[in-house]
Amino acid sequence: MCDALSKWASERGLRVRSDSRGNLILGKAATKGYENRPDVVLQGHLDMVCQKHGGSQHDFARDPICPVLSDGWVTAHDTTLGADNGIGVALALAVLDADDLAHPALEVLLTVDEEAGMHGAMALERDAVKGRLLINLDTEEWGEIYIGCAGSVDVVVDAPVLMETAPAGLQAVGLQLTGLAGGHSGIDIHRQRGNAIKLLAQFLYELAGKGFDFRLASMKGGTAHNAIPREAEAILRVEDASCLQAEAEGFVARLRSQLNDEESGVRIDFELVSMQGAPEVLSGEAAREILTLLRDLPYGVRKMSERMPGVVETSNNIGELRLEEGRLHVNMMVRSTDEHSIHTLSDEIVARFAASGFEGIHIVGAGPVWHPNPESKLLALARDVYRQTFDGEASVQVIHAGLECGIFGWLWPDMDMISFGPTIRGAHAPKERVEVASVEHAWQLLVGVLAAIPGR
């Protein structure tokens, strides 16, 4: 992607440079009459969250995204679309490509590895850009201008578990829990969507509590720390699988009465599977300990903000689970607009695992909080342009998701920043879609703000 965009920019006579991490900075001179106005940084990230429907053969390393236009929205066939943050990048590139816009000197900062932990932004040097007005194009609700975001850490467990040889004569049965909506672990966390990892653990915990005799061979779910898991699966060793279906049907019926209508398709399916080699399973004690932990781990909204009504303050997502080949790997993402709450909740999770005897627990990938600045001059300008262009008021918000602005605020304390973008729904899930009309509106606001930047 960086190579392709570097070539694209060079062909247009734009300045091109990249750093050792792969972040790309493209530059364009001010248009005539705007030479004495302060430089503006437009910013987005080049990577996307790769999610697909179960059973899809799509290979993200090889196959193209297949966009579909329907009823004013663009989505993708069977996969995430990449509007997060492809649309933001496209808006910035369109400004660079245009020869009929009024704007100051521009720096377009395109970062890498944002979704994996903001590693690209964290690797930036302090002299990466000289502009001190920054427009981030990575938010997903048209009509809102963002001036703050949550910070985050990952709590990662990577520990051995006690395995033993399964008793002879047991059948191997595969379970699959599917049909959940998933979504972004920040902006969708308040929607109370089911987490496939927790729900499958709950089902197995209840089976054990009813005296159903099974041995747990493996369990996994989720593929990204910042996506709510839509699917999870396990392999059990059992003497008689005939009762499983009835138990699953009762459990699923309860789920459907508790979950939102968008998740009414939740189901648990079974199939006999063949397993090669010695039939190893978790010891009974280890299985009980892990299922109890997964069932009881905090998930979803921990606290709503008292200062910002309607905004989530603190949450946790159990994003990835791999319990196989004698190891337990769990990746959880704690977010909050309050640094103290990040540490409190992450420490609580660490303590839960440590109390059960697990080692190899780490807190990694700290993303800083972007603290709001209601007195931002760039915010005031954007609100004026919005008012004049759309004959209404933009809503000023703080987002419960990680934006790279938190890192930029640490790198460049004097940077004046805002964030806006078109309406995107279902980010980080295969139903991701972007509203076409809102892209046009975001474009109008962007070019209007650039044209209105006052002189020094």
Side-chain angles (χ1 to χ4, degrees), residues 196-216:
I197 293 170
K198 274 192 73 77
L199 294 179
L200 185 55
Q202 176 72 33
F203 174 63
L204 297 177
Y205 180 90
E206 291 184 10
L207 274 184
K210 293 178 179 179
F212 190 87
D213 187 19
F214 68 87
R215 309 301 296 275
L216 181 60

Side-chain angles (χ1 to χ4, degrees), residues 52-381:
K52 60 184 180 180
H53 286 301
S56 169
Q57 299 303 307
H58 185 93
D59 182 348
F60 284 98
R62 181 195 66 207
D63 300 330
I65 301 296
C66 299
V68 178
L69 175 63
S70 177
D71 296 327
W73 294 78
V74 177
T75 185
H77 179 67
D78 272 352
T79 69
T80 38
L81 176 64
D84 174 12
N85 185 222
I87 286 292
V89 172
L91 287 166
L93 295 180
V95 173
L96 293 180
D97 199 37
D99 57 9
D100 59 347
L101 300 180
H103 58 74
L106 298 174
E107 296 169 286
V108 172
L109 172 59
L110 304 177
T111 54
V112 296
D113 291 340
E114 191 269 354
E115 300 290 8
M118 302 192 182
H119 303 304
M122 288 181 178
L124 287 168
E125 300 290 340
R126 291 189 183 273
D127 62 353
V129 296
K130 69 176 185 177
R132 287 300 178 264
L133 298 175
L134 185 144
I135 301 174
N136 170 278
L137 297 166
D138 189 24
T139 44
E140 302 171 0
E141 190 69 47
W142 167 246
E144 297 181 348
I145 299 174
Y146 290 86
I147 59 171
C149 75
S152 66
V153 298
D154 280 6
V155 182
V156 180
V157 179
D158 188 13
V161 292
L162 184 61
M163 305 290 288
E164 60 187 27
T165 301
L170 298 184
Q171 295 177 310
V173 179
L175 291 73
Q176 286 191 323
L177 189 152
T178 60
L180 297 174
H184 190 295
S185 70
I187 60 176
D188 291 323
I189 202 70
H190 66 288
R191 301 184 190 280
Q192 298 181 317
R193 290 173 177 165
N195 182 303
I197 293 170
K198 274 192 73 77
L199 294 179
L200 185 55
Q202 176 72 33
F203 174 63
L204 297 177
Y205 180 90
E206 291 184 10
L207 274 184
K210 293 178 179 179
F212 190 87
D213 187 19
F214 68 87
R215 309 301 296 275
L216 181 60
S218 67
M219 184 175 173
K220 61 182 180 179
T223 58
H225 66 156
N226 53 4
I228 301 169
R230 297 171 292 107
E231 300 174 355
E233 60 186 66
I235 295 178
L236 309 181
R237 291 279 186 170
V238 300
E239 286 187 6
D240 181 8
S242 61
C243 297
L244 281 174
Q245 191 63 51
E247 293 291 341
E249 288 174 358
F251 182 78
V252 167
R254 281 193 286 118
L255 284 186
R256 289 174 177 165
S257 68
Q258 298 165 3
L259 297 172
N260 299 325
D261 290 344
E262 62 184 337
E263 300 188 299
S264 60
V266 64
R267 56 186 294 165
I268 297 178
D269 295 309
F270 301 90
E271 62 176 350
L272 294 177
V273 297
S274 60
M275 300 181 65
Q276 304 297 321
E280 284 212 321
V281 294
L282 274 74
S283 71
E285 181 179 352
R288 283 190 296 273
E289 195 71 57
I290 290 170
L291 292 176
T292 302
L293 271 171
L294 294 175
R295 182 200 65 164
D296 293 342
L297 276 176
Y299 161 69
V301 177
R302 166 57 67 93
K303 183 182 179 183
M304 299 297 291
S305 174
E306 296 176 0
R307 293 180 298 169
M308 296 167 284
V311 175
V312 176
E313 179 196 273
T314 307
S315 72
N316 181 54
N317 180 53
I318 308 166
E320 298 176 87
L321 168 72
R322 298 291 179 273
L323 176 58
E324 52 193 1
E325 298 180 355
R327 295 199 72 82
L328 172 67
H329 174 84
V330 189
N331 196 344
M332 295 147 283
M333 192 173 195
V334 175
R335 301 181 190 263
S336 184
T337 53
D338 174 69
E339 285 95 343
H340 178 72
S341 296
I342 293 175
H343 299 309
T344 299
L345 183 51
S346 57
D347 287 347
E348 175 189 324
I349 294 170
V350 169
R352 286 174 181 256
F353 279 92
S356 297
F358 287 99
E359 299 178 352
I361 312 166
H362 305 284
I363 298 177
V364 297
V369 175
W370 174 21
H371 293 285
N373 175 20
E375 306 305 316
S376 160
K377 292 181 179 179
L378 185 56
L379 170 64
L381 175 65

